[in-house]
Amino acid sequence: MARFDEVKATFWGEGLYGVQPPLTDAVVQDAERQLGVRLPASLLEILRVQNGGVVADAWNAFPTDVPTSWSENHVPLDEMMGIGRHDGQPSLLDTAYLVEEWGLPSPLALLSGDGHCWIALDYRACGKFGEPSVTWFDVEGNTELPLAADFQAFVERLTAAAPLDLDHTDGNPSAS
């Protein structure tokens, strides 16, 4: 398992898709007010390196012990939303709208997803000012899968999707 600081240093991939302007304390305070939650310090550390965007290939999957609608053994983290309102890019600030639109539980802060599936900070057990767990939500399958007790533990278990996509019995990519 990679240590948080190692992952943080190489977390972001190339490209500008989803990248918001650099994070400031004022932006964080405004976001927490709008979201109605306290964001984890470990998330803010990563967003201070780069405020959202494409996740590096080395960290674009979270392994699971059970199959999901995405894969037999992982969920994707191809992009992670930052905080802001830049050029119509997706943002954590879109959470309230997206939670309502997709019928998700609350309170959450959405980190990544496409509408059908989401990875979110889950505040239901800890309250709006506690340390949220990280949960996978499959809207179409009406299922949820707890991934990690907190965001730092989530980041420390991230890995590359490519090896997970291989079917270990014959070496061919699995159908996902």
Side-chain angles (χ1 to χ4, degrees):
M1 185 170 3
R3 290 191 340 238
F4 179 79
D5 289 337
E6 293 174 285
V7 178
K8 180 177 78 170
T10 58
F11 185 78
W12 298 107
E14 295 186 24
L16 296 177
Y17 177 78
V19 178
Q20 301 287 341
L23 202 58
T24 65
D25 290 342
V27 168
V28 170
Q29 290 171 354
D30 187 54
E32 289 180 333
R33 182 187 56 73
Q34 286 184 51
L35 294 167
V37 298
R38 184 184 55 79
L39 295 170
S42 53
L43 170 65
L44 297 175
E45 279 186 53
I46 286 179
L47 293 180
R48 288 185 193 285
V49 173
Q50 178 177 301
N51 191 6
V54 175
V55 174
D57 289 346
W59 314 115
N60 66 356
F62 186 91
T64 61
D65 295 329
V66 297
T68 68
S69 60
W70 178 262
S71 166
E72 291 294 313
N73 59 7
H74 72 281
V75 296
L77 185 69
D78 297 323
E79 297 103 18
M80 191 168 78
M81 292 189 273
I83 301 170
R85 296 275 183 221
H86 181 67
D87 290 342
Q89 300 281 3
S91 166
L92 268 82
L93 299 178
D94 298 321
T95 292
Y97 166 77
L98 294 169
V99 162
E100 184 176 338
E101 174 81 11
W102 292 97
L104 295 166
S106 189
L108 301 178
L110 301 178
L111 298 173
S112 182
D114 64 1
H116 306 285
C117 300
W118 297 97
I119 294 174
L121 298 173
D122 189 345
Y123 290 86
R124 292 176 294 172
C126 69
K128 294 180 176 191
F129 302 105
E131 189 68 26
S133 60
V134 180
T135 304
W136 163 263
F137 293 92
D138 180 335
V139 175
E140 291 180 354
N142 197 29
T143 60
E144 57 185 75
L145 176 64
L147 299 177
D150 58 45
F151 184 76
Q152 183 169 331
F154 172 77
V155 168
E156 289 175 346
R157 287 205 44 216
L158 291 172
T159 189
L164 296 174
D165 286 333
L166 294 178
D167 177 358
H168 298 292
T169 59
D170 62 10
N172 292 323
S174 62
S176 45

